[in-house]
Amino acid sequence: MNNFFRKLYYGDIPEEKTGAGSQQVPKVSPTGGDSEGASDWPLWEIFIRSKQGLDHKHVGSLHAADAQMAIENARDVYTRRMEGVSIWVVESKHIHASNPDDAENFYEPAEDKVYRHPTFYDLPDEVKHM
Amino acid sequence: MNREKLINQSTDALINYTLHLADDALILGHRNSEWCGHGPVLEQDIAITNISLDLIGQARNFYQYVARQINDFQKTESSQAPSLLERGFGGEVTEDTLAYLRDNREFKNCLLVEQPNGDWAKTILRQFLFSAYQFYLYQELQDSKDEQLAAIAEKSLKEVTYHLRWGSEWVIRLGDGTDESHQRMLKAIEELWMYTGELFTATAYESQAVAEGSGVDVRLLKAPWEEKIEEIFSEATLPYPPLSGGGKGEAVFQQTGGKEGKHTEHLGYILAELQFMQRTYPGSEW
C-alpha cells in the first residue's frame, strides 16, 4: 500500500486545506474531495431535553446534510456527557428572530408598567406556596 | 489426556477467546482514533472519536477480565498455568500489560480491523462491516455461560447498535450519493471485502470456547450478517455480493490468519505507535 507512506493517508485531506494556520474556511466534503464543501451543509439549531427538564433547551448549532444526520450529529456532539434524553433539531433558516434594533420600542414600554405583575393582590394567610 | 491438561486447555481457550474479542476492539478503536482532529467535518470527527472511545472501552473490559484470570492462576502457583504465562510478563498482569507488551504475533484481532483508514469511504465501510458482525456477535454472547463475557456483551451491544446505525447511514449516503462517493465506496469494497470471510471462520480456541458454552459460534452469524449487508448495500445501490475484477469476476478470495496471529503488514505499524511509550519508558504513568 503506497498510501501508507504518504502523509495524506488519514483522509486524503491536503494539509493546506484543513484550516490550520489559515483564515479561510476549509471546504472539505465527507468523501475527502474539495469541490462540494461541508460549508454547503445547512446549519441546524439543536434543542436538548435533560432527564429532569420539562422543556427542550437550546444548546447550540451544527452542520448536517439532513434532519436525520442532524439528530445523530447532535447525539454525538451534545449528549456525550449525559446531557439529555430527547433531541429536537430545527434548520436555522426556519428560525425567525426579532431585530436587536427594535429593542427600544419592543421592550422598554414595559418598564414602567409594574402593574402587569400580579403582585398587588392581598393573599389570605391560608394560601401558601405562592 | 489427564484432567490437569484438560483444565489447562479450557482456560487457555477462554483466555485466547477473550483476548481475541479485546484485540478486535482495541485495534479498530485505535484505527478510528487516528481520525481525531482529521475528520472531514467537526461533527463527524466527534462521531468517529466517540466510536473509537466506545471500542477502547470494550477492549478494556475484556483485557481486565483476562488479566484477572491470569493473576488468579499466578496466585495459586498451579502447574495449570495458562500458556500465555510461559512467555513471562513478570509480576502482576494488568490490562496495560496485555495491550502494550504483547507482540505482533500474539495479537488475535481479525485482519479487517487493522486495515489502514484510507479515505472516509473506506473507514466507513470497515466500521459498517465490523459493527454488523459485532452486533450479531454480542447479541449471542449475551447468553454466554460465562457471566463476565455476557455482561460485557450486554453493555457493549447498546454502543454497537448505534455504530451499526451510523455506519449504515453513511454507507447509504456515500453509495447512493454522487458519482465520486459511489466510486470511492466501490474501491473500498474492493479493498476490504477479502477480509470479511475471516470473521466467520472459527479458530481452534473459538471452537473450544463454543464447546464449553462461553463462546459464540461465528459460523452461525454469517447468514444474518450477509442479510444485513445485502439490505444496506442494495439501498446504497452497491453491488452484492461483491465479486472480484470490479464485479465481473468470481467470488473474492478470503484472507484469514489474523485471529491466529498472522497479520498483514499494517498491524506492526499500529503497535509501533500504540506501544512506543510503554516500550521506551516501561511502567511510566501519567
Side-chain angles (χ1 to χ4, degrees), chain A residues 1 3-5 9-13 28-33 36 38 41 62-63 65-66 68-69 72-73 75-77 80, chain B residues 31 34-35 38 40-41 43-44 46-47 50 53 116-120 122 162 165-166 169-170 173-174 178 181 184 266 269:
Chain A
M1 293 293 296
N3 74 351
F4 198 78
F5 300 101
Y9 86 99
Y10 279 118
D12 279 353
I13 305 165
V28 183
S29 84
T31 48
E36 294 167 33
W41 286 356
L62 49 74
H63 289 97
D66 53 34
Q68 176 88 351
M69 194 201 266
E72 282 170 19
N73 286 351
R75 180 264 189 195
D76 282 322
V77 176
R80 52 205 302 271
Chain B
R31 269 295 187 223
E34 294 173 352
W35 274 103
H38 297 266
V41 294
E43 291 82 358
Q44 296 305 329
I46 297 176
N50 280 349
L53 287 171
N117 286 344
D119 59 10
W120 188 243
K122 190 171 172 186
Y162 185 76
R165 172 186 163 140
W166 180 85
E169 296 244 330
W170 267 107
R173 219 174 267 288
L174 296 182
T178 62
S181 69
R184 284 180 186 245
H266 307 297
Y269 291 91

Side-chain angles (χ1 to χ4, degrees), chain B residues 116-135:
Chain B
N117 286 344
D119 59 10
W120 188 243
K122 190 171 172 186
T123 295
I124 290 298
L125 183 70
R126 186 184 60 199
Q127 189 62 48
F128 167 66
L129 295 173
F130 188 74
S131 291
Y133 157 76
Q134 237 185 358
F135 178 76

Side-chain angles (χ1 to χ4, degrees), chain A residues 60-110:
Chain A
S61 57
L62 49 74
H63 289 97
D66 53 34
Q68 176 88 351
M69 194 201 266
I71 289 179
E72 282 170 19
N73 286 351
R75 180 264 189 195
D76 282 322
V77 176
Y78 291 113
T79 68
R80 52 205 302 271
R81 299 186 184 85
M82 298 187 297
E83 290 92 339
V85 292
S86 170
I87 299 172
W88 285 355
V89 299
V90 181
E91 211 179 325
S92 305
K93 71 177 181 194
H94 295 307
I95 293 189
H96 302 266
S98 61
N99 187 339
D101 295 343
D102 293 334
E104 223 169 87
N105 57 57
F106 261 45
Y107 313 115
E108 281 181 21

Side-chain angles (χ1 to χ4, degrees), chain B residues 113-248:
Chain B
V113 296
E114 69 197 37
Q115 296 311 306
N117 286 344
D119 59 10
W120 188 243
K122 190 171 172 186
T123 295
I124 290 298
L125 183 70
R126 186 184 60 199
Q127 189 62 48
F128 167 66
L129 295 173
F130 188 74
S131 291
Y133 157 76
Q134 237 185 358
F135 178 76
Y136 296 111
L137 175 74
Y138 285 169
Q139 261 187 352
E140 294 300 316
L141 195 61
Q142 287 184 110
D143 302 327
S144 169
K145 257 195 219 161
D146 187 298
E147 283 178 20
Q148 194 67 28
L149 289 183
I152 299 172
E154 189 185 342
K155 177 172 175 284
S156 308
L157 185 60
K158 290 173 199 150
E159 297 167 347
V160 172
T161 304
Y162 185 76
H163 303 168
L164 179 57
R165 172 186 163 140
W166 180 85
S168 306
E169 296 244 330
W170 267 107
V171 167
I172 295 167
R173 219 174 267 288
L174 296 182
D176 192 19
T178 62
D179 279 349
E180 171 81 15
S181 69
H182 186 80
Q183 284 307 319
R184 284 180 186 245
M185 282 306 293
L186 290 178
K187 184 163 163 275
I189 293 172
E190 202 167 316
E191 288 170 353
L192 293 177
W193 193 254
M194 68 183 95
Y195 301 112
T196 55
E198 187 190 10
L199 299 172
F200 311 103
T201 312
T203 57
Y205 59 79
E206 282 175 292
S207 304
Q208 175 90 12
V210 172
E212 288 173 21
S214 50
V216 174
D217 190 345
V218 286
R219 290 168 305 178
L220 301 180
L221 305 178
K222 194 172 186 196
W225 181 86
E226 284 178 336
E227 203 173 306
K228 182 75 190 171
I229 305 300
E230 187 171 8
E231 174 202 329
I232 301 299
F233 272 23
S234 94
E235 201 171 332
T237 68
L238 294 167
Y240 186 90
L243 300 171
S244 63
K248 294 179 191 70

